[in-house]
Amino acid sequence: MSNFTIQIIDKLLLLPGLLIGLSAHEFAHAYVAFKLGDDSQRFQGRLTLNPIKHIDPLGFLLLMLLGYGWAKPVMVNSRRFKNLRRDDTLVAIAGPIANLILAIIFTISMGLTVLIITRAGGYNQTSEIIMKILERAILINLVLMVFNLIPLPPLDGHQILGNIVGTPLWNFYYKYADILRIALTFIIILGGTRYIISPIVGNIYNFLINLMQNILLMVL
C-alpha cells in the first residue's frame, strides 16, 4: 500500500470525528446563545447538528489537507444578553466544552466496543476500523477543545479571557487584533501550535484511555 493511499485512508478515518466535532462545537455556541436570549440563531439555521449548516467548504478542505481550517462562525447578537460579560463567556466556552463531552462519549464508546469485541471472540477487520475511527474522534475533539482555548483572536479563548480580565485586555485585543491574528496564522503555519496543543491533548487522552482501561479491567 502506497503512502498516498495510507494518507487517504487516514483522512477518511478522521472524517466522522471531525464532522461531528465541528458541528457540535458550533451548535453549542448557537444553542447557548439562543438559551440566553439571542433568538437570531433560530433564523440563521444554526440550532442543528447538521454539518451542512456549520461546515465552511474551503475551511473544511484546508483542514483535511493541511490540518488547519475553520467552520462557519456563529454570529452572536450579544445585545440580547441580560448579563453581557457572563453570557458572552458562557457562549464562548460552550464550544470547547462540547468537544470535551464528545471526547468522553467517544472514549466510553471505545470501551464498550472493546467489551463487545472481547466477548465476541476477538478483533476482525471491521472492529479494527471502528476502533481507529473512535481513537481519532477522541483526539480530534480534544484538539478542537484545546486549540480553541488559545487566548488569541479569533479563537474562543480570547473571548473567555477578555471577559474575565475586562476592559484592559479588551483594549489590547482591539488595538492589536490584526497583528495577533497574523501572529496566530504564522504560529500555525510554522507548526508552533503543536508544541502548545500536543502535550495537553496527549495528557488528557492518556487520562481518558487509562480510566477506560481500568474500568474494563474491573468489568472483564
Side-chain angles (χ1 to χ4, degrees):
M1 188 179 295
S2 68
N3 289 335
F4 178 75
T5 303
I6 293 173
Q7 289 178 5
I8 293 296
I9 293 174
D10 191 62
K11 298 294 185 183
L12 292 175
L13 293 173
L14 182 69
L15 193 58
L18 186 59
L19 285 172
I20 295 171
L22 289 174
S23 300
H25 183 101
E26 298 303 331
F27 167 76
H29 286 315
Y31 180 76
V32 173
F34 174 73
K35 297 300 286 186
L36 292 173
D38 179 15
D39 59 357
S40 66
Q41 302 305 321
R42 175 181 292 168
F43 304 111
Q44 293 172 17
R46 305 306 296 272
L47 295 176
T48 177
L49 288 169
N50 183 354
I52 295 175
K53 297 294 185 178
H54 300 295
I55 299 300
D56 180 282
L58 177 58
F60 186 74
L61 179 62
L62 291 175
L63 192 56
M64 291 295 293
L65 294 177
L66 305 178
Y68 170 68
W70 56 87
K72 292 178 183 176
V74 170
M75 306 305 294
V76 175
N77 185 359
S78 57
R79 290 178 294 180
R80 300 290 181 91
F81 296 155
K82 295 179 180 178
N83 186 322
L84 176 59
R85 194 165 176 175
R86 180 202 66 191
D87 294 350
D88 191 55
T89 302
L90 291 174
V91 172
I93 204 170
I97 288 177
N99 291 125
L100 177 59
I101 292 172
L102 276 177
I104 294 171
I105 291 173
F106 282 125
T107 303
I108 295 172
S109 300
M110 179 182 283
L112 292 174
T113 302
V114 171
L115 187 62
I116 293 170
I117 291 171
T118 302
R119 293 185 174 178
Y123 286 84
N124 54 38
Q125 189 174 17
T126 300
S127 59
E128 287 180 357
I129 291 174
I130 293 172
M131 288 294 290
K132 289 179 180 179
I133 290 173
L134 291 172
E135 178 188 34
R136 284 159 175 76
I138 297 169
L139 286 169
I140 191 60
N141 275 281
L142 292 177
V143 168
L144 287 172
M145 178 190 73
V146 176
F147 177 73
N148 278 284
L149 287 175
I150 295 175
L152 292 174
L155 303 176
D156 299 326
H158 103 281
Q159 291 283 133
I160 298 168
L161 188 61
N163 286 324
I164 292 173
V165 175
T167 303
L169 186 56
W170 278 123
N171 289 338
F172 173 80
Y173 280 142
Y174 180 79
K175 184 177 181 179
Y176 298 104
D178 291 337
I179 296 175
L180 292 172
R181 289 171 187 267
I182 293 171
L184 176 63
T185 302
F186 273 104
I187 290 172
I188 293 168
I189 292 173
L190 297 175
T193 51
R194 73 184 60 177
Y195 297 106
I196 302 171
I197 294 174
S198 295
I200 301 173
V201 169
N203 287 330
I204 300 174
Y205 177 80
N206 289 335
F207 171 79
L208 292 176
I209 296 300
N210 288 334
L211 181 61
M212 179 264 290
Q213 289 173 341
N214 289 331
I215 294 174
L216 284 175
L217 287 175
M218 291 188 291
V219 174
L220 294 174

